[in-house]
Amino acid sequence: MSMDKKLSKLDFSYFIDQKLTEVNAEKNYPFGISFEWGDLNVECPWRLRVSSEVAIGQSDYLQAPGEYSHKNVEKILMGKRITKIYHYEEISDLVVEFEDSIYLELFHDSNYFEGWQLRGDNGFYVFTLPGGSYSD
C-alpha cells in the first residue's frame, strides 16, 4: 500500500481569496466556519496550525474546554483570506490554507460517520462519506 497522498482533481478556485467571516462558537454544536460565499462544517478531528506549530486542535477543545474553545480559532482566523485548499483523495483529508501561513487541517477518521462538508453559494458541495471516500 502506498503512503503517498494523492491530491484530488476537485476545483476549489471558487473559495480562493474568500475571507473568513464567522466561527460557530456555540457549545454542543459541530465546529463550523463561514466564508463570504460558503461554509465548512467539521465533524471529524481537526487542528489549526500557525506555521509549524499547532495553535489549537480538537483534543484541546474537547479535553480542556475551560482553556480552549472555538473562540481561540476565531481570534486566529477572523478576517483571514483563503489562499489554497488541498484535498487528498484516498482518505478525504482537507487542508484549508489561509494567509499568514495558517492551516486548518481536517482528518476523516470514521467508518460510520461523515467527516466534513464544504459548501459554496455557487452550488459547490463536497462531503466525506463513512469510510473516508467523498461525494461531490
Side-chain angles (χ1 to χ4, degrees):
M1 172 197 282
S2 172
M3 293 305 288
D4 294 332
K5 288 185 173 184
K6 181 181 174 192
L7 285 172
S8 76
K9 303 280 190 231
L10 293 175
D11 180 5
F12 293 100
S13 60
Y14 178 78
F15 298 95
I16 303 308
D17 209 37
Q18 285 193 42
K19 188 187 307 181
L20 187 122
T21 58
E22 183 180 359
V23 175
N24 176 7
E26 294 292 320
K27 271 194 165 201
N28 302 320
Y29 280 90
F31 174 41
I33 57 177
S34 297
F35 317 116
E36 292 169 296
W37 303 287
D39 59 73
L40 174 63
N41 294 307
V42 181
E43 300 178 65
C44 63
W46 57 272
R47 70 179 171 215
L48 184 64
R49 189 167 50 88
V50 178
S51 294
S52 60
E53 184 176 320
V54 175
I56 181 174
Q58 182 186 36
S59 296
D60 301 318
Y61 173 75
L62 293 174
Q63 303 301 323
E67 190 171 337
Y68 294 99
S69 73
H70 294 150
K71 295 272 187 203
N72 299 81
V73 174
E74 185 177 62
K75 286 178 193 172
I76 296 168
L77 283 181
M78 189 55 70
K80 298 292 183 190
R81 293 194 179 276
I82 298 171
T83 58
K84 192 156 185 170
I85 296 179
Y86 306 89
H87 174 243
Y88 297 97
E89 194 168 79
E90 289 148 5
I91 197 67
S92 282
D93 288 349
L94 187 76
V95 178
V96 181
E97 180 180 341
F98 293 88
E99 59 190 331
D100 300 329
S101 299
I102 300 170
Y103 303 87
L104 178 60
E105 301 172 326
L106 312 181
F107 313 98
H108 189 99
D109 74 334
S110 176
N111 190 47
Y112 188 73
F113 296 102
E114 294 178 356
W116 52 264
Q117 304 88 38
L118 177 63
R119 293 183 186 96
D121 292 353
N122 66 343
F124 182 97
Y125 180 53
V126 64
F127 59 98
T128 59
L129 297 164
S133 60
Y134 67 95
S135 182
D136 57 342

